[in-house]
Amino acid sequence: MIEKAESIPAEVAERRLGTSDRMDYMDRALLLARLALVHSSPNPAVGAVIVKDDVIVGEGYTQPPGSAHAEIVALQQAGERARGATMYVTLEPCCHHGRTPPCTRAIIDAGISEVHISIIDPNLRVCGRGKAELEAAGIKTFVGDHEEQAQELNEAYIKYTYTGLPFVIGKFAMSLDGKIATKTGESRWISGEQSRRYVHTLRSQIDAIMVGVDTVIRDDPQLTARAGLAGGRVEKQPLRVIVDSKGRTPPTAKVFQVPGKTLVAVTKEADPERVRALTEVGAEVVELPAKGGMVDLEELLKLLGQRQIVSMMVEGGAAVFGSLFEERLVDKVLVFVAPIVIGGHGAKNPVEGKGVEKLSQATGITRVKTKMVGSDVLISGYIAR
């Protein structure tokens, strides 16, 4: 069932069950869907709201895999009040038997008279069939309400459904002059506290975090989502992925001392003794082909996709970013720009690699957005394809 109101964030809880004022019901459904991001993967995060006589009589969001979908939670809450009511749902209801029965059948049996859908489910087992089944039962259906927001909410699920590969977010913080550390290597903290809280919230919602071995050696990060920084909603830890061609990750690293799993991707150049030491501290070590002197990142993404890693955030280092951008493996960027100037010839840049010779060859970013996060500016956008 839907969580108690006390556990729902303020922006959602301000519209409680039973309100009778006019409101944007699909916006409400999207707010509910965001609550599912912490546990829904590899399923999509979906929100549903049931309205009768301008009053919300049921609402819900996707529960962990194998549990109830958003529509079922909302229908259970509405009970008999669902008959003749209107449902607002952020993704087309499923019409197939998976881990749970089809939502379309439950909607029809409950007597819902009208369904508003943000986007059609790209999963070929659904993909218009759910809508058609509802219409065949005499239920009016409408598609496209808040479409852009719904697509962004499930952008990782959509990419994974089409390609079998995780949605890759490149995230880094830098100074106004484009530096991620001083010439001595000091990098904590370039971004402010509110930016760090923002990142921990993202970590609580994604499946994996990737870094290069140099980042582990230099910064010794935990790479976890911490409840105190993520708003108290950490239901699972992301898989930690270390790109480490030669197996140089120290067995004493903090990533092996905190909750969650760590995967170390190496090549045949890795020393067997180092590999053994890593497995002894709980790491899963996977050998992959080499490309350009480092782990073939495309092959790594394929492996992660096979393991149902739907979303991944890359947090460094510069060599890993260089390869990812050169191979066009990044989908989205999140760049925190701090209001400081570092300077210095030896200060580090966020992206290395071969680079381009002409500006026309540079990686383009589209749908760019900016917003203030504390004193930092967050620039987000998508890689132009």
Short mmCIF file of all heavy atoms in Angstrom, two decimals, residues 78-131:
data_model
loop_
_atom_site.label_atom_id
_atom_site.label_comp_id
_atom_site.label_asym_id
_atom_site.label_seq_id
_atom_site.Cartn_x
_atom_site.Cartn_y
_atom_site.Cartn_z
N ALA A 78 -8.88 3.24 -3.35
CA ALA A 78 -10.18 3.78 -3.75
C ALA A 78 -11.33 2.84 -3.44
O ALA A 78 -12.44 3.28 -3.09
CB ALA A 78 -10.17 4.10 -5.25
N GLY A 79 -11.11 1.54 -3.57
CA GLY A 79 -12.17 0.57 -3.31
C GLY A 79 -13.35 0.79 -4.25
O GLY A 79 -13.17 1.03 -5.46
N GLU A 80 -14.55 0.76 -3.71
CA GLU A 80 -15.76 0.91 -4.52
C GLU A 80 -15.89 2.31 -5.12
O GLU A 80 -16.61 2.51 -6.10
CB GLU A 80 -16.99 0.61 -3.68
CG GLU A 80 -17.22 -0.87 -3.42
CD GLU A 80 -17.38 -1.65 -4.73
OE1 GLU A 80 -18.13 -1.18 -5.62
OE2 GLU A 80 -16.74 -2.70 -4.86
N ARG A 81 -15.17 3.27 -4.56
CA ARG A 81 -15.23 4.63 -5.09
C ARG A 81 -14.57 4.75 -6.47
O ARG A 81 -14.71 5.77 -7.14
CB ARG A 81 -14.57 5.60 -4.11
CG ARG A 81 -15.32 5.76 -2.79
CD ARG A 81 -14.54 6.61 -1.80
NE ARG A 81 -13.31 5.94 -1.40
CZ ARG A 81 -12.41 6.47 -0.56
NH1 ARG A 81 -12.62 7.66 -0.03
NH2 ARG A 81 -11.32 5.80 -0.24
N ALA A 82 -13.87 3.70 -6.89
CA ALA A 82 -13.24 3.72 -8.21
C ALA A 82 -14.26 3.60 -9.35
O ALA A 82 -13.99 4.02 -10.48
CB ALA A 82 -12.21 2.59 -8.31
N ARG A 83 -15.43 3.05 -9.04
CA ARG A 83 -16.43 2.84 -10.10
C ARG A 83 -16.93 4.19 -10.62
O ARG A 83 -17.40 5.03 -9.87
CB ARG A 83 -17.60 2.01 -9.56
CG ARG A 83 -18.53 1.50 -10.65
CD ARG A 83 -19.32 0.30 -10.16
NE ARG A 83 -18.46 -0.80 -9.74
CZ ARG A 83 -17.90 -1.68 -10.58
NH1 ARG A 83 -18.12 -1.58 -11.89
NH2 ARG A 83 -17.14 -2.64 -10.11
N GLY A 84 -16.75 4.39 -11.95
CA GLY A 84 -17.14 5.64 -12.58
C GLY A 84 -16.13 6.76 -12.41
O GLY A 84 -16.38 7.89 -12.87
N ALA A 85 -14.98 6.48 -11.82
CA ALA A 85 -13.97 7.52 -11.57
C ALA A 85 -13.00 7.64 -12.73
O ALA A 85 -13.03 6.86 -13.70
CB ALA A 85 -13.21 7.19 -10.29
N THR A 86 -12.12 8.65 -12.66
CA THR A 86 -11.09 8.89 -13.67
C THR A 86 -9.72 8.61 -13.07
O THR A 86 -9.44 9.02 -11.94
CB THR A 86 -11.14 10.36 -14.14
OG1 THR A 86 -12.41 10.61 -14.75
CG2 THR A 86 -10.03 10.64 -15.15
N MET A 87 -8.88 7.90 -13.82
CA MET A 87 -7.52 7.61 -13.37
C MET A 87 -6.53 8.44 -14.17
O MET A 87 -6.63 8.55 -15.40
CB MET A 87 -7.18 6.12 -13.53
CG MET A 87 -5.72 5.78 -13.20
SD MET A 87 -5.31 4.02 -13.34
CE MET A 87 -6.05 3.38 -11.84
N TYR A 88 -5.54 9.00 -13.48
CA TYR A 88 -4.42 9.70 -14.10
C TYR A 88 -3.17 8.88 -13.79
O TYR A 88 -2.84 8.66 -12.61
CB TYR A 88 -4.27 11.12 -13.53
CG TYR A 88 -5.45 12.01 -13.84
CD1 TYR A 88 -6.62 11.95 -13.07
CD2 TYR A 88 -5.40 12.91 -14.91
CE1 TYR A 88 -7.71 12.76 -13.37
CE2 TYR A 88 -6.50 13.73 -15.20
CZ TYR A 88 -7.64 13.64 -14.43
OH TYR A 88 -8.71 14.44 -14.72
N VAL A 89 -2.48 8.42 -14.82
CA VAL A 89 -1.31 7.56 -14.61
C VAL A 89 -0.19 8.01 -15.54
O VAL A 89 -0.42 8.37 -16.69
CB VAL A 89 -1.69 6.07 -14.83
CG1 VAL A 89 -2.18 5.82 -16.26
CG2 VAL A 89 -0.54 5.16 -14.47
N THR A 90 1.04 8.00 -15.04
CA THR A 90 2.17 8.58 -15.76
C THR A 90 2.73 7.69 -16.86
O THR A 90 3.49 8.15 -17.70
CB THR A 90 3.31 8.94 -14.78
OG1 THR A 90 3.71 7.75 -14.07
CG2 THR A 90 2.83 9.99 -13.79
N LEU A 91 2.36 6.40 -16.87
CA LEU A 91 2.82 5.47 -17.91
C LEU A 91 1.67 4.53 -18.25
O LEU A 91 0.86 4.17 -17.37
CB LEU A 91 4.03 4.68 -17.41
CG LEU A 91 4.69 3.73 -18.42
CD1 LEU A 91 5.49 4.53 -19.46
CD2 LEU A 91 5.63 2.74 -17.71
N GLU A 92 1.60 4.15 -19.49
CA GLU A 92 0.54 3.24 -19.94
C GLU A 92 0.45 2.00 -19.04
O GLU A 92 1.46 1.34 -18.78
CB GLU A 92 0.84 2.80 -21.38
CG GLU A 92 -0.17 1.83 -21.96
CD GLU A 92 0.23 1.37 -23.36
OE1 GLU A 92 1.42 1.54 -23.73
OE2 GLU A 92 -0.64 0.82 -24.06
N PRO A 93 -0.73 1.65 -18.56
CA PRO A 93 -0.89 0.46 -17.71
C PRO A 93 -0.48 -0.81 -18.45
O PRO A 93 -0.74 -0.97 -19.65
CB PRO A 93 -2.39 0.46 -17.39
CG PRO A 93 -2.80 1.90 -17.52
CD PRO A 93 -1.98 2.43 -18.67
N CYS A 94 0.16 -1.71 -17.72
CA CYS A 94 0.62 -2.96 -18.33
C CYS A 94 -0.57 -3.87 -18.62
O CYS A 94 -1.60 -3.82 -17.93
CB CYS A 94 1.62 -3.67 -17.43
SG CYS A 94 0.93 -4.30 -15.88
N CYS A 95 -0.41 -4.74 -19.63
CA CYS A 95 -1.51 -5.62 -20.04
C CYS A 95 -1.05 -7.07 -20.14
O CYS A 95 -1.68 -7.89 -20.80
CB CYS A 95 -2.08 -5.16 -21.39
SG CYS A 95 -0.83 -5.04 -22.69
N HIS A 96 0.07 -7.38 -19.49
CA HIS A 96 0.63 -8.73 -19.56
C HIS A 96 0.90 -9.27 -18.16
O HIS A 96 1.03 -8.51 -17.20
CB HIS A 96 1.93 -8.73 -20.37
CG HIS A 96 3.02 -7.92 -19.73
ND1 HIS A 96 3.06 -6.55 -19.80
CD2 HIS A 96 4.11 -8.29 -18.98
CE1 HIS A 96 4.12 -6.10 -19.14
NE2 HIS A 96 4.76 -7.13 -18.63
N HIS A 97 1.01 -10.56 -18.05
CA HIS A 97 1.36 -11.20 -16.79
C HIS A 97 2.88 -11.21 -16.67
O HIS A 97 3.59 -11.82 -17.46
CB HIS A 97 0.83 -12.64 -16.74
CG HIS A 97 -0.62 -12.71 -16.40
ND1 HIS A 97 -1.09 -12.78 -15.10
CD2 HIS A 97 -1.72 -12.73 -17.20
CE1 HIS A 97 -2.41 -12.83 -15.10
NE2 HIS A 97 -2.82 -12.81 -16.37
N GLY A 98 3.41 -10.52 -15.68
CA GLY A 98 4.84 -10.57 -15.37
C GLY A 98 4.97 -11.12 -13.97
O GLY A 98 4.43 -12.19 -13.65
N ARG A 99 5.65 -10.37 -13.09
CA ARG A 99 5.69 -10.78 -11.69
C ARG A 99 4.34 -10.53 -11.01
O ARG A 99 4.04 -11.10 -9.97
CB ARG A 99 6.77 -9.99 -10.94
CG ARG A 99 8.19 -10.27 -11.43
CD ARG A 99 9.18 -9.48 -10.59
NE ARG A 99 10.55 -9.65 -11.06
CZ ARG A 99 11.61 -9.09 -10.51
NH1 ARG A 99 11.45 -8.31 -9.45
NH2 ARG A 99 12.82 -9.29 -10.99
N THR A 100 3.55 -9.66 -11.64
CA THR A 100 2.22 -9.33 -11.11
C THR A 100 1.20 -9.42 -12.25
O THR A 100 1.58 -9.35 -13.43
CB THR A 100 2.20 -7.91 -10.51
OG1 THR A 100 2.57 -6.96 -11.53
CG2 THR A 100 3.17 -7.79 -9.34
N PRO A 101 -0.09 -9.55 -11.94
CA PRO A 101 -1.12 -9.59 -12.98
C PRO A 101 -1.21 -8.26 -13.72
O PRO A 101 -0.72 -7.24 -13.24
CB PRO A 101 -2.40 -9.87 -12.19
CG PRO A 101 -1.94 -10.45 -10.90
CD PRO A 101 -0.64 -9.79 -10.59
N PRO A 102 -1.87 -8.24 -14.89
CA PRO A 102 -1.97 -7.01 -15.67
C PRO A 102 -2.81 -5.94 -14.98
O PRO A 102 -3.88 -6.23 -14.42
CB PRO A 102 -2.61 -7.47 -16.98
CG PRO A 102 -3.31 -8.75 -16.64
CD PRO A 102 -2.48 -9.39 -15.58
N CYS A 103 -2.34 -4.71 -15.04
CA CYS A 103 -3.07 -3.60 -14.43
C CYS A 103 -4.34 -3.26 -15.22
O CYS A 103 -5.32 -2.79 -14.64
CB CYS A 103 -2.18 -2.36 -14.35
SG CYS A 103 -0.83 -2.53 -13.16
N THR A 104 -4.30 -3.48 -16.53
CA THR A 104 -5.47 -3.15 -17.35
C THR A 104 -6.70 -3.92 -16.88
O THR A 104 -7.80 -3.37 -16.80
CB THR A 104 -5.20 -3.46 -18.83
OG1 THR A 104 -4.65 -4.80 -18.93
CG2 THR A 104 -4.24 -2.47 -19.44
N ARG A 105 -6.52 -5.21 -16.56
CA ARG A 105 -7.65 -6.03 -16.11
C ARG A 105 -8.23 -5.48 -14.81
O ARG A 105 -9.45 -5.42 -14.63
CB ARG A 105 -7.16 -7.47 -15.90
CG ARG A 105 -8.25 -8.49 -15.67
CD ARG A 105 -9.06 -8.73 -16.92
NE ARG A 105 -10.33 -8.02 -16.91
CZ ARG A 105 -11.07 -7.82 -17.97
NH1 ARG A 105 -10.67 -8.25 -19.14
NH2 ARG A 105 -12.21 -7.18 -17.87
N ALA A 106 -7.34 -5.07 -13.90
CA ALA A 106 -7.79 -4.53 -12.62
C ALA A 106 -8.54 -3.22 -12.81
O ALA A 106 -9.55 -2.97 -12.13
CB ALA A 106 -6.61 -4.33 -11.69
N ILE A 107 -8.07 -2.39 -13.74
CA ILE A 107 -8.73 -1.11 -14.02
C ILE A 107 -10.13 -1.33 -14.59
O ILE A 107 -11.10 -0.68 -14.19
CB ILE A 107 -7.86 -0.28 -14.99
CG1 ILE A 107 -6.56 0.16 -14.31
CG2 ILE A 107 -8.63 0.96 -15.49
CD1 ILE A 107 -5.55 0.76 -15.25
N ILE A 108 -10.22 -2.29 -15.50
CA ILE A 108 -11.52 -2.60 -16.12
C ILE A 108 -12.48 -3.16 -15.07
O ILE A 108 -13.64 -2.73 -14.97
CB ILE A 108 -11.33 -3.61 -17.27
CG1 ILE A 108 -10.54 -2.96 -18.41
CG2 ILE A 108 -12.68 -4.12 -17.77
CD1 ILE A 108 -10.03 -3.94 -19.45
N ASP A 109 -12.00 -4.11 -14.27
CA ASP A 109 -12.85 -4.74 -13.26
C ASP A 109 -13.31 -3.75 -12.20
O ASP A 109 -14.40 -3.90 -11.64
CB ASP A 109 -12.10 -5.90 -12.59
CG ASP A 109 -11.87 -7.07 -13.53
OD1 ASP A 109 -12.53 -7.12 -14.60
OD2 ASP A 109 -11.02 -7.93 -13.21
N ALA A 110 -12.50 -2.73 -11.94
CA ALA A 110 -12.85 -1.75 -10.91
C ALA A 110 -13.90 -0.76 -11.38
O ALA A 110 -14.46 -0.02 -10.58
CB ALA A 110 -11.59 -0.99 -10.47
N GLY A 111 -14.16 -0.72 -12.69
CA GLY A 111 -15.18 0.17 -13.22
C GLY A 111 -14.72 1.58 -13.49
O GLY A 111 -15.54 2.50 -13.59
N ILE A 112 -13.40 1.78 -13.65
CA ILE A 112 -12.88 3.10 -14.02
C ILE A 112 -13.48 3.48 -15.37
O ILE A 112 -13.55 2.66 -16.30
CB ILE A 112 -11.34 3.07 -14.11
CG1 ILE A 112 -10.72 2.87 -12.72
CG2 ILE A 112 -10.81 4.34 -14.76
CD1 ILE A 112 -10.83 4.06 -11.80
N SER A 113 -13.91 4.73 -15.52
CA SER A 113 -14.57 5.13 -16.76
C SER A 113 -13.66 5.89 -17.71
O SER A 113 -13.94 5.96 -18.92
CB SER A 113 -15.79 6.00 -16.44
OG SER A 113 -15.40 7.20 -15.79
N GLU A 114 -12.58 6.46 -17.20
CA GLU A 114 -11.72 7.29 -18.04
C GLU A 114 -10.28 7.21 -17.52
O GLU A 114 -10.06 7.22 -16.31
CB GLU A 114 -12.21 8.73 -17.98
CG GLU A 114 -11.61 9.69 -18.97
CD GLU A 114 -12.31 11.04 -18.92
OE1 GLU A 114 -13.53 11.10 -19.23
OE2 GLU A 114 -11.64 12.03 -18.57
N VAL A 115 -9.31 7.10 -18.45
CA VAL A 115 -7.90 7.01 -18.05
C VAL A 115 -7.08 8.02 -18.86
O VAL A 115 -7.13 8.03 -20.09
CB VAL A 115 -7.34 5.59 -18.28
CG1 VAL A 115 -5.84 5.55 -17.94
CG2 VAL A 115 -8.09 4.57 -17.43
N HIS A 116 -6.32 8.85 -18.14
CA HIS A 116 -5.39 9.79 -18.75
C HIS A 116 -3.98 9.25 -18.56
O HIS A 116 -3.58 8.97 -17.42
CB HIS A 116 -5.53 11.18 -18.12
CG HIS A 116 -6.84 11.83 -18.40
ND1 HIS A 116 -6.97 12.89 -19.27
CD2 HIS A 116 -8.10 11.57 -17.93
CE1 HIS A 116 -8.24 13.26 -19.32
NE2 HIS A 116 -8.94 12.47 -18.51
N ILE A 117 -3.24 9.12 -19.66
CA ILE A 117 -1.90 8.51 -19.65
C ILE A 117 -0.88 9.54 -20.13
O ILE A 117 -1.10 10.18 -21.17
CB ILE A 117 -1.86 7.28 -20.58
CG1 ILE A 117 -2.91 6.24 -20.16
CG2 ILE A 117 -0.47 6.67 -20.63
CD1 ILE A 117 -3.16 5.15 -21.20
N SER A 118 0.21 9.68 -19.42
CA SER A 118 1.25 10.63 -19.87
C SER A 118 1.94 10.11 -21.12
O SER A 118 1.99 10.77 -22.15
CB SER A 118 2.28 10.87 -18.77
OG SER A 118 1.78 11.72 -17.78
N ILE A 119 2.52 8.90 -21.03
CA ILE A 119 3.27 8.35 -22.16
C ILE A 119 2.96 6.86 -22.34
O ILE A 119 2.62 6.17 -21.39
CB ILE A 119 4.80 8.53 -22.00
CG1 ILE A 119 5.29 7.90 -20.69
CG2 ILE A 119 5.19 10.00 -22.09
CD1 ILE A 119 6.81 7.94 -20.53
N ILE A 120 3.12 6.41 -23.58
CA ILE A 120 2.96 4.99 -23.91
C ILE A 120 4.21 4.25 -23.44
O ILE A 120 5.33 4.74 -23.55
CB ILE A 120 2.76 4.82 -25.43
CG1 ILE A 120 1.43 5.45 -25.87
CG2 ILE A 120 2.81 3.35 -25.83
CD1 ILE A 120 0.21 4.82 -25.27
N ASP A 121 4.03 3.06 -22.90
CA ASP A 121 5.15 2.24 -22.44
C ASP A 121 5.94 1.71 -23.64
O ASP A 121 5.37 1.06 -24.51
CB ASP A 121 4.62 1.07 -21.61
CG ASP A 121 5.70 0.31 -20.87
OD1 ASP A 121 6.86 0.35 -21.29
OD2 ASP A 121 5.36 -0.33 -19.86
N PRO A 122 7.27 1.96 -23.73
CA PRO A 122 8.05 1.47 -24.88
C PRO A 122 8.26 -0.05 -24.87
O PRO A 122 8.66 -0.61 -25.88
CB PRO A 122 9.39 2.21 -24.73
CG PRO A 122 9.50 2.48 -23.26
CD PRO A 122 8.08 2.76 -22.81
N ASN A 123 7.98 -0.70 -23.74
CA ASN A 123 8.11 -2.15 -23.65
C ASN A 123 7.18 -2.79 -24.68
O ASN A 123 5.96 -2.56 -24.66
CB ASN A 123 7.76 -2.62 -22.24
CG ASN A 123 8.03 -4.09 -22.02
OD1 ASN A 123 7.90 -4.91 -22.91
ND2 ASN A 123 8.42 -4.42 -20.80
N LEU A 124 7.73 -3.60 -25.55
CA LEU A 124 6.95 -4.17 -26.65
C LEU A 124 5.81 -5.08 -26.17
O LEU A 124 4.88 -5.35 -26.93
CB LEU A 124 7.86 -4.94 -27.60
CG LEU A 124 8.86 -4.08 -28.41
CD1 LEU A 124 9.72 -4.95 -29.29
CD2 LEU A 124 8.09 -3.06 -29.25
N ARG A 125 5.88 -5.54 -24.93
CA ARG A 125 4.78 -6.35 -24.41
C ARG A 125 3.56 -5.48 -24.08
O ARG A 125 2.47 -5.98 -23.86
CB ARG A 125 5.23 -7.11 -23.16
CG ARG A 125 6.26 -8.20 -23.43
CD ARG A 125 6.68 -8.89 -22.15
NE ARG A 125 7.34 -7.97 -21.23
CZ ARG A 125 7.76 -8.30 -20.00
NH1 ARG A 125 7.55 -9.53 -19.56
NH2 ARG A 125 8.38 -7.42 -19.24
N VAL A 126 3.79 -4.18 -24.04
CA VAL A 126 2.70 -3.23 -23.78
C VAL A 126 2.54 -2.34 -25.01
O VAL A 126 1.73 -2.60 -25.87
CB VAL A 126 2.99 -2.39 -22.51
CG1 VAL A 126 1.76 -1.55 -22.16
CG2 VAL A 126 3.38 -3.28 -21.34
N CYS A 127 3.30 -1.27 -25.08
CA CYS A 127 3.45 -0.39 -26.25
C CYS A 127 2.16 -0.20 -27.06
O CYS A 127 2.08 -0.56 -28.23
CB CYS A 127 4.56 -0.92 -27.15
SG CYS A 127 5.24 0.34 -28.25
N GLY A 128 1.14 0.36 -26.43
CA GLY A 128 -0.13 0.62 -27.11
C GLY A 128 -1.18 -0.43 -26.84
O GLY A 128 -2.39 -0.16 -26.97
N ARG A 129 -0.75 -1.62 -26.45
CA ARG A 129 -1.71 -2.70 -26.21
C ARG A 129 -2.55 -2.44 -24.95
O ARG A 129 -3.72 -2.80 -24.89
CB ARG A 129 -0.98 -4.04 -26.10
CG ARG A 129 -0.34 -4.51 -27.41
CD ARG A 129 0.28 -5.90 -27.24
NE ARG A 129 0.79 -6.41 -28.51
CZ ARG A 129 2.02 -6.21 -28.96
NH1 ARG A 129 2.86 -5.48 -28.23
NH2 ARG A 129 2.42 -6.71 -30.11
N GLY A 130 -1.90 -1.84 -23.95
CA GLY A 130 -2.64 -1.53 -22.74
C GLY A 130 -3.75 -0.53 -23.00
O GLY A 130 -4.89 -0.69 -22.56
N LYS A 131 -3.42 0.50 -23.75
CA LYS A 131 -4.40 1.52 -24.13
C LYS A 131 -5.52 0.90 -24.94
O LYS A 131 -6.72 1.17 -24.71
CB LYS A 131 -3.71 2.62 -24.94
CG LYS A 131 -4.63 3.71 -25.49
CD LYS A 131 -3.80 4.76 -26.21
CE LYS A 131 -4.69 5.85 -26.82
NZ LYS A 131 -5.51 5.36 -27.92
#
